[in-house]
Amino acid sequence: MAAAEYAAACTALHICRAPLLRCSGWVRAPLLTGVRHPVLFLPAEPCPQAHLRLIFTHELIHLQRRDVLRQLLLTTAGILYWYHPAVWLLAAAARRDVEQATDAAVL
């Protein structure tokens, strides 16, 4: 049933090349990773059917907005300027803002 919800979310967001969908015991929350070949990981624990569409939509919006690439750039800035506290504060604020904007787009 999750595959049907995933396909519906991809269709609703006009995503032609959907990321691979995988379940893993290593993740605690849904996770989109990969810049060139994205993969959407779901926790191995069962999720309520009513939440699946929201979860898929949330993660696919991250894909549409290229948030994985933004996270990579923020992490790179943090590595290059590890000694500067403003970089870490700005990166944390940017990550929080990305999540809030994605949540707002889903709801």
Side-chain angles (χ1 to χ4, degrees):
M1 197 61 148
E5 290 291 335
Y6 186 58
C10 288
T11 302
L13 293 170
H14 307 290
I15 294 177
C16 299
R17 250 183 72 197
L20 291 175
L21 183 61
R22 299 283 185 246
C23 288
S24 173
W26 293 93
V27 297
R28 293 179 180 249
L31 169 71
L32 180 69
T33 186
V35 175
R36 292 188 61 199
H37 303 287
V39 178
L40 175 56
F41 287 101
L42 294 176
E45 299 89 33
C47 178
Q49 194 69 28
H51 295 177
L52 281 178
R53 184 73 177 263
L54 294 173
I55 290 169
F56 292 144
T57 302
H58 178 96
E59 296 303 324
L60 291 172
I61 288 173
H62 280 305
L63 177 71
Q64 277 186 331
R65 293 181 176 180
R66 302 189 194 321
D67 288 339
V68 174
L69 183 58
R70 288 183 185 147
Q71 293 283 48
L72 180 62
L73 293 173
L74 288 170
T75 301
T76 303
I79 290 168
L80 294 174
Y81 299 102
W82 59 268
Y83 54 86
H84 203 300
V87 171
W88 291 100
L89 293 173
L90 291 172
R95 286 185 180 100
R96 184 183 60 245
D97 290 347
V98 164
E99 283 301 319
Q100 288 176 350
T102 305
D103 289 343
V106 171
L107 300 176

